[in-house]
Amino acid sequence: MTTPPSTDPDTETHTDPETHTDPDTHPDRDPGPDTTAPYTLGLRLAAACGLLFLLACLVFTGMITLRDAIEGDGSGGVFIAAGFWSLALGAVAGVAALAVPRRALVTAQYCLGAAGPLLALID
């Protein structure tokens, strides 16, 4: 059984082909491609450069440790050990950022890398 179309102008639906009724295809609601998302290639390059940064921080932390061993009491303190652990965790974050590019991992990699020499300087 079919219902005949209504002739009442108040209950008629829009039949204009320019009107979009599907919410998934509405031009105001369709976000399209996300232009603010970071590119994975750029994040991977930043993570790879971060590994080189970690290597430079490792050399710098080693120099600080040797200077402290020669000029100080001859033993490394807690902050020197924390500096090397910070560099190790930064390397883990860098490798994870290469595998799964995320902005937070790359940021953590650089922050942990910079914390290594700073912690060694505190000792």
Side-chain angles (χ1 to χ4, degrees):
M1 216 171 170
T2 61
T3 307
S6 172
T7 58
D8 186 19
D10 293 332
T11 60
E12 284 189 27
T13 60
H14 295 286
T15 58
D16 184 18
E18 297 296 321
T19 304
H20 299 284
T21 58
D22 187 15
D24 293 333
T25 60
H26 195 275
D28 294 334
R29 294 185 188 159
D30 185 22
D34 188 10
T35 58
T36 61
Y39 294 106
T40 58
L41 178 64
L43 285 175
R44 286 190 173 146
L45 285 175
C49 291
L51 290 175
L52 294 174
F53 174 72
L54 283 169
L55 182 63
C57 287
L58 177 67
V59 169
F60 191 58
T61 305
M63 289 172 29
I64 293 169
T65 303
L66 288 175
R67 183 189 57 92
D68 184 52
I70 292 171
E71 294 177 359
D73 58 357
S75 64
V78 176
F79 287 110
I80 288 179
F84 282 112
W85 274 106
S86 174
L87 292 172
L89 291 174
V92 169
V95 170
L98 282 175
V100 182
R102 298 282 185 260
R103 187 180 303 176
L105 286 173
V106 174
T107 304
Q109 176 189 14
Y110 279 96
C111 290
L112 288 168
L118 293 176
L119 286 169
L121 281 172
I122 290 173
D123 193 27

